[in-house]
Structure formats: structure tokens, C-alpha cells
């Protein structure tokens, strides 16, 4: 085990040229993730669907040069700087993924850190047989599943709407939107509570699939790999999940 | 292309992960139900966007670094963690009992004792498990098993 502090050196993973050393905003990842979103159809929402910048699933195919799998192989070989690179690249995605599971930013950070700890612990047995992100999200979904099970009794559905109005980056969403009236703020909070509640009430795999598809912008194929399902099963899983959400959230549409 | 096929594609179409074909456009222009559904799916996605997640805090890296160090520091004593696995704890306990018995047996001077004790230590589980642990896989395996269990559940059919 290397004794140097982690994160000490600025890291550039090999001589790739394609992947970004650091993901600061959605744009960086968008450009790095070729193709998949290049043909926004005319039907696509105008909204910034990539706003979370969590396009984590879309690059780093197999173990090619500059891929994340290749970076992970360097971690395996003892390069802690390479590990730092992966942390910087995916911590945002992991925190947001865990936030929508744990629903508290402190717990989300803990869980996200646990993901990286597991990545690091498992480095010696890492095989680049799958995309790095598939492996990463498997670890994350396992943790999310365990967390949900362990805390199920602590989170009765009707408490969900009452907590942490200012959980997002320390400021209330209300403030960010200018100065909504009190009623607007209440409605907004109700909407948000309903969204959380409905998503979190989905059957486990549907919920995980929605988190990865809607919020991490992963495609069917990759979600299927993470969940060890067929692509068509994943597709129908997501279809049913979105149907449920559409129907249950209808009053807010 | 029928209505169901199109509806299955709507989430991806709305999220920009699928491209609309002319055929699909045409269907939406002629099929009211699908057009209405499409609008709802789009609105649902927009609504779901309201659930924003926070950025990692400034302490994220610091905390992670600390946890990594902590773990590195406690690595020599890492074998203690094996006791968290019940099967292993039992295996190791058997091994220890066997060892004690072995030494006692040795002091006894009764030669017949030795093979018997070896047979107890033999079951191999302790050694086998230790070897497995060398591969450092166990952290993931236990969790994957949990996920695998999930997939057996017929949850797929729960939502009509
Ligand atoms: Zn139709």
C-alpha cells in the first residue's frame, strides 16, 4: 500500500486526450461522452436534462487507452493518483446517486465515500472485463440496496415531506428562484416531497433503474449490465416505473 | 410501429437518449392518445428534474482521505475483520480449538490423538476461506449476493 496521502498530485490519466481529468460541469462530460446525446431529437425537452452532470455512465468503454477501466488498472498497479482521478471524476455522480437513495446529503456523502473505499479495497482483484462505471454502479447499487433495507423502518413515508427544506447546497430552492410567495413555496415543497416519495416508493429495481436512467443519464444497456438484467427487461422495468410516476404525480403536471 | 412501442420509447425520446424517426413523428401527429401521452411523459420528466441533488461538500475529499488513511493504518490488524463473517469465525474457532487440542494431545504423548485432531482442522473451510479472503473479494461478493436475490423476486410483475 502506498504511503503517500491520496489526492496529493494532480493527475492526468495516461496520454488519452479524450477523457476529462476533472468534471466541473455538465458540459465537460457531455463533450467527453460522444454520440449518445448528440442527436437530441426535436422531441427532447428544452430543459437542461444534463443538469446534474452525472453522465458517469457514458464513457470509458472497456479497457481501451484512456478509458476509466485503464485508469483503474493503474490503481491496481499502485498508482494512487489514478485513484484520485476516478474520485474526482465520479464523486459528484456518486453523491447525487446516493442522495436520492439516502435523502440526506451527509449520509449521501458517507455512502459515496464508502463506494470509493470499496473501489480502493478491491483494486487488487479488479479485472477490466466490464466498463469501469458498470462496476462502480454495481458497488453503488449494492450499497444503496443495503442502506434502504437497513433503514426502511426509520423512514415512514409520511415523514419524507417534512425534512430538510434546505438540503440542496445549503440554500432553499425558494430563494434560488427569486422570491416566490409563501403559497408558491409551499406548493413547491409539496411537489418535491411527492417526487421523492413516489420515486422512493417504487419497487427496488425500478427505483434503481430510474435513478440511473433519469438522474445519472445511463442508457438501457448499461443499466441492464449494472442490474444484471437483459436489456429488454430493463426497458420494461423503466417503462413501468415511469408509468407509475406519471400516474401518481399527475396532479403536479 | 404501434402505440405501445412508441410509448416504451417515450422516456428516452424525452430525455434525448433516442431520436425520433419520421415514422414516429407521423404517428404522433395522427394519434391523439400518443401525443397526449408524450406531453405527459415530458411533463413528468420536467417535474422529476425538480429533485436536485447537492454538490459534494468541500469536506468530501478530506473525509474520504481520512477514511482511506484510517483503513491503511489499521490494515495490519485487518484480519480481525474476518471475525465479522460468522462462517469464518466458526472456522477459525474450530481451528483454534483444534490447535489447542493438538498441543494438549502432544503433551499427552498419545500418538493416536494426532490424526484425529488433524481431521478436525481439516474440514478445509478455514483454510479455504482464508485463501478466498486473500483475493480480497469478499466485500463485494456479499453484496452482489444480495442483489442477486433481488432479481429472483418476481417484483417485475407487481406493477401492472
Ligand atoms: Zn399511438
Amino acid at each position: 500500500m502506498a504511503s503517500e496521502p491520496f489526492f496529493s498530485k494532480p493527475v492526468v490519466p495516461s496520454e488519452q486526450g479524450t477523457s476529462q481529468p476533472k468534471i466541473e460541469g455538465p458540459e465537460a462530460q457531455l463533450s467527453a461522452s460522444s454520440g449518445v446525446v448528440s442527436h437530441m431529437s426535436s422531441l427532447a425537452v428544452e430543459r437542461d436534462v444534463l443538469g446534474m452532470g452525472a453522465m458517469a455512465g457514458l464513457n470509458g468503454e472497456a479497457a481501451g487507452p484512456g478509458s476509466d477501466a485503464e485508469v483503474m488498472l493503474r490503481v491496481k498497479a499502485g498508482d494512487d493518483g489514478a485513484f484520485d482521478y476516478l474520485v474526482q471524476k465520479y464523486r459528484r455522480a456518486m453523491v447525487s446517486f446516493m442522495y436520492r437513495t439516502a435523502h440526506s446529503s451527509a449520509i449521501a456523502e458517507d455512502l459515496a465515500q464508502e463506494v470509493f473505499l470499496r473501489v480502493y479495497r478491491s483494486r487488487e482483484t479488479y479485472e477490466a472485463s466490464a466498463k469501469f462505471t458498470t462496476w462502480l454502479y454495481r458497488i453503488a447499487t449494492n450499497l444503496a440496496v443495503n442502506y434502504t433495507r437497513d433503514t426502511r423502518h426509520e423512514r415512514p413515508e409520511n415523514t419524507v415531506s417534512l425534512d430538510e427544506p434546505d438540503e440542496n447546497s445549503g440554500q432553499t430552492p425558494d430563494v434560488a428562484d427569486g422570491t416566490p410567495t409563501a403559497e408558491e413555496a409551499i406548493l413547491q415543497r409539496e411537489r418535491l416531497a411527492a417526487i421523492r416519495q413516489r420515486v422512493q416508493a417504487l419497487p427496488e429495481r425500478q427505483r434503481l433503474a430510474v435513478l440511473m436512467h433519469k438522474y445519472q443519464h445511463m442508457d438501457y444497456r448499461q443499466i441492464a449490465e449494472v442490474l444484471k438484467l437483459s436489456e429488454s427487461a430493463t426497458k420494461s422495468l423503466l417503462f413501468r416505473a415511469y408509468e407509475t410516476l406519471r400516474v401518481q404525480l399527475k396532479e403536479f403536471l | 410501429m404501434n402505440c405501445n412501442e412508441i410509448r416504451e420509447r417515450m422516456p428516452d425520446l424525452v430525455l434525448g437518449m433516442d431520436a425520433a424517426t419520421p415514422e414516429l413523428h407521423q404517428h404522433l401527429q395522427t394519434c391523439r392518445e400518443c401525443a397526449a401521452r408524450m406531453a405527459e411523459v415530458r411533463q413528468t420528466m420536467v417535474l422529476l428534474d425538480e429533485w436536485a441533488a447537492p454538490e459534494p461538500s468541500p469536506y468530501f475529499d478530506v473525509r474520504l482521505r481520512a477514511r482511506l488513511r484510517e483503513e491503511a493504518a489499521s490494515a495490519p490488524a485487518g484480519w480481525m475483520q474476518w471475525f465479522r463473517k460468522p462462517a469464518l469465525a466458526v472456522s477459525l474457532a474450530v481451528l483454534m480449538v483444534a490447535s489447542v487440542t493438538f498441543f494438549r494431545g502432544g503433551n499427552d504423548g498419545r500418538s493416536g490423538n494426532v490424526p484425529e485432531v488433524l481431521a478436525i482442522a481439516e474440514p478445509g473451510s478455514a483454510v479455504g476461506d482464508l485463501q478466498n479472503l486473500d483475493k480480497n473479494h469478499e466485500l463485494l461478493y456479499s453484496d452482489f449476493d444480495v442483489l442477486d436475490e433481488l432479481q429472483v423476486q418476481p417484483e417485475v410483475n407487481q406493477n401492472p
Side-chain angles (χ1 to χ4, degrees):
Chain A
M1 175 154 313
S3 56
E4 274 308 294
F6 304 103
F7 315 106
S8 54
K9 31 193 168 172
V11 192
V12 181
S14 73
E15 48 294 313
Q16 81 293 29
T18 50
S19 56
Q20 309 284 332
K22 204 162 194 174
I23 306 303
E24 286 298 339
E27 306 77 20
Q29 259 186 337
L30 185 51
S31 63
S33 61
S34 73
V36 187
V37 286
S38 61
H39 46 237
M40 288 285 221
S41 75
S42 56
L43 297 163
V45 278
E46 300 304 318
R47 217 175 148 114
D48 177 20
V49 294
L50 306 171
M52 273 320 297
M55 304 271 302
L58 301 177
N59 53 5
E61 194 75 48
S67 68
D68 293 330
E70 193 245 5
V71 175
M72 189 58 210
L73 288 174
R74 299 214 332 258
V75 177
K76 182 179 183 175
D79 181 352
D80 283 344
F83 179 69
D84 180 46
Y85 165 86
L86 293 171
V87 171
Q88 296 308 307
K89 184 168 183 177
Y90 291 108
R91 57 180 202 156
R92 197 166 176 238
M94 287 299 108
V95 168
S96 71
F97 181 75
M98 289 305 187
Y99 177 73
R100 295 190 177 93
T101 294
H103 187 46
S104 133
S105 43
I107 296 170
E109 295 219 341
D110 256 15
L111 290 170
Q113 284 159 6
E114 184 61 33
V115 172
F116 290 116
L117 284 170
R118 291 188 182 200
V119 166
Y120 193 77
R121 278 179 211 142
S122 317
R123 68 195 179 285
E124 278 160 23
T125 51
Y126 178 74
E127 302 289 344
S129 52
K131 284 173 75 171
F132 172 76
T133 46
T134 301
W135 186 60
L136 183 71
Y137 274 97
R138 271 200 195 143
I139 295 172
T141 52
N142 288 333
L143 269 169
V145 164
N146 289 341
Y147 174 83
T148 308
R149 292 189 177 171
D150 292 348
T151 59
R152 182 160 288 156
H153 58 288
E154 296 164 20
R155 304 181 305 139
E157 302 216 332
N158 52 11
T159 64
V160 172
S161 60
L162 300 175
D163 52 3
E164 61 197 64
D166 53 358
E167 193 61 54
N168 298 333
S169 61
Q171 57 175 338
T172 61
D174 321 349
V175 176
D177 284 344
T179 49
T181 65
E183 299 95 291
E184 279 168 344
I186 289 167
L187 285 177
Q188 193 175 36
R189 196 163 299 177
E190 269 178 13
R191 249 183 357 250
L192 189 56
I195 295 166
R196 287 166 170 165
Q197 197 179 67
R198 295 310 185 186
V199 172
Q200 290 181 338
L202 288 171
E204 196 151 68
R205 283 186 303 173
Q206 289 189 30
R207 177 173 55 82
L208 293 168
V210 166
L211 294 188
M212 286 187 271
H213 187 255
K214 173 68 188 79
Y215 294 109
Q216 309 298 114
H217 308 287
M218 291 160 68
D219 60 23
Y220 294 140
R221 189 167 59 103
Q222 201 181 358
I223 296 167
E225 279 172 17
V226 172
L227 297 178
K228 297 181 189 168
L229 294 170
S230 71
E231 232 177 289
S232 63
T234 304
K235 202 170 174 178
S236 94
L237 199 68
L238 275 163
F239 177 71
R240 279 178 286 117
Y242 286 127
E243 277 300 284
T244 302
L245 293 174
R246 180 182 64 82
V247 170
Q248 294 189 339
L249 294 170
K250 210 158 194 164
E251 61 178 304
F252 299 105
L253 299 185
Chain B
M1 186 175 288
N2 65 38
C3 295
N4 282 338
E5 285 168 0
I6 287 178
R7 288 174 192 190
E8 271 216 332
R9 287 178 58 187
M10 284 180 181
D12 263 9
L13 288 165
V14 163
L15 292 175
M17 296 171 83
D18 188 2
T21 57
E23 190 191 358
L24 194 143
H25 271 302
Q26 201 187 350
H27 182 98
L28 289 177
Q29 275 167 359
T30 54
C31 178
R32 275 188 157 188
E33 289 80 8
C34 279
R37 176 66 60 85
M38 186 74 180
E40 275 193 16
V41 171
R42 180 183 293 117
Q43 287 168 345
T44 304
M45 293 300 183
V46 169
L47 182 69
L48 291 175
D49 280 335
E50 286 194 29
W51 191 13
E55 291 290 320
S57 76
Y59 310 107
F60 186 88
D61 288 358
V62 178
R63 179 87 187 98
L64 176 57
R65 195 186 306 146
R67 288 176 74 177
L68 283 161
R69 282 217 197 93
E70 217 169 89
E71 192 163 294
S74 66
W79 60 271
M80 279 301 287
Q81 291 173 3
W82 297 345
F83 282 100
R84 287 184 198 162
K85 296 213 121 189
L88 264 181
V90 169
S91 300
L92 290 174
V94 167
L95 192 64
M96 282 180 214
V97 169
S99 306
V100 169
T101 315
F102 177 85
F103 287 121
R104 276 225 306 250
N107 291 341
D108 262 5
R110 291 193 306 152
S111 58
N113 215 9
V114 176
E116 186 192 340
V117 167
L118 282 182
I120 296 172
E122 189 66 50
S125 57
V127 174
D129 285 342
L130 292 178
Q131 282 165 350
N132 279 342
L133 279 174
D134 278 345
K135 295 176 186 166
N136 214 0
H137 255 137
E138 48 110 16
L139 288 162
L140 295 175
Y141 279 171
S142 54
D143 287 332
F144 281 154
D145 290 345
V146 170
L147 199 64
D148 283 337
E149 279 169 33
L150 292 179
Q151 286 154 16
V152 181
Q153 295 169 2
E155 166 244 282
V156 174
N157 298 320
Q158 279 174 8
N159 273 19

